[in-house]
Amino acid sequence: MSSSTQESPTQNALQRLRDGDETALAELFAKHRDRLYQIVSARMDRRLAGRVDADDVLQEVYLDAVARIHHFLEHHSGSFFVWLRLVTTQTMANIFRRHLDAKKRDAKREVSIYSGRANESPTSPLAMQLLGRLT
């Protein structure tokens, strides 16, 4: 099978996308989803692991791609995957900022009730009562 034959479904989906077929974007995204999942998994900040997972990020990437697809159609003459990878890295940066640079519920400020610092909190007696003797 030649490379032009292999690219035909992608080119067909891109043309359908240019013609206004909204399902074409979902097809193109699905085609690249596994590669994007690997990128997200490899680049995910460990501090975000308890808050979001790669599937959550990919869901946001898809929504961002839907919102930005006109940029690709109007200005990008390169690979759809390269554009999607760019959207993925930008979405990951936004998620990072939202979760780790936030003033409220900042992941960097979270403290386990099992750590010594929990005893310094005014709510630690309540936390210890709720925890009880759980293992």
Side-chain angles (χ1 to χ4, degrees):
M1 188 179 271
S2 71
S3 64
S4 63
T5 306
Q6 290 175 345
E7 292 180 1
S8 178
T10 299
Q11 295 303 322
N12 181 22
L14 285 171
Q15 186 56 50
R16 289 183 14 241
L17 188 60
R18 286 182 179 92
D19 293 339
D21 183 355
E22 296 175 6
T23 62
L25 178 58
E27 290 173 24
L28 288 165
F29 189 85
K31 178 181 177 184
H32 298 294
R33 188 182 189 291
D34 290 340
R35 288 172 69 190
L36 295 173
Y37 186 90
Q38 291 174 348
I39 290 169
V40 170
S41 296
R43 295 182 181 176
M44 178 76 73
D45 189 293
R46 64 177 175 74
R47 295 172 292 176
L48 288 176
R51 292 174 165 246
V52 295
D53 64 8
D55 289 318
D56 296 331
V57 173
L58 288 179
Q59 187 173 15
E60 285 199 44
V61 168
Y62 181 75
L63 294 174
D64 285 347
V66 168
R68 300 179 193 181
I69 191 61
H70 65 279
H71 291 295
F72 175 80
L73 297 175
E74 294 170 5
H75 305 292
H76 202 279
S77 60
S79 162
F80 180 76
F81 175 75
V82 170
W83 176 80
L84 205 51
R85 188 179 63 198
L86 173 67
V87 173
T88 301
T89 56
Q90 290 172 343
T91 302
M92 288 184 71
N94 292 339
I95 291 171
F96 179 86
R97 276 188 226 106
R98 188 173 354 150
H99 287 281
L100 296 179
D101 289 344
K103 298 296 181 203
K104 295 181 182 177
R105 298 195 55 151
D106 186 349
K108 293 182 281 188
R109 295 174 42 202
E110 290 181 2
V111 177
S112 170
I113 62 173
Y114 296 107
S115 72
R117 288 181 50 199
N119 294 332
E120 300 169 9
S121 169
T123 59
S124 63
L126 174 61
M128 296 318 260
Q129 286 178 0
L130 292 174
L131 181 63
R133 299 193 192 289
L134 296 177
T135 59

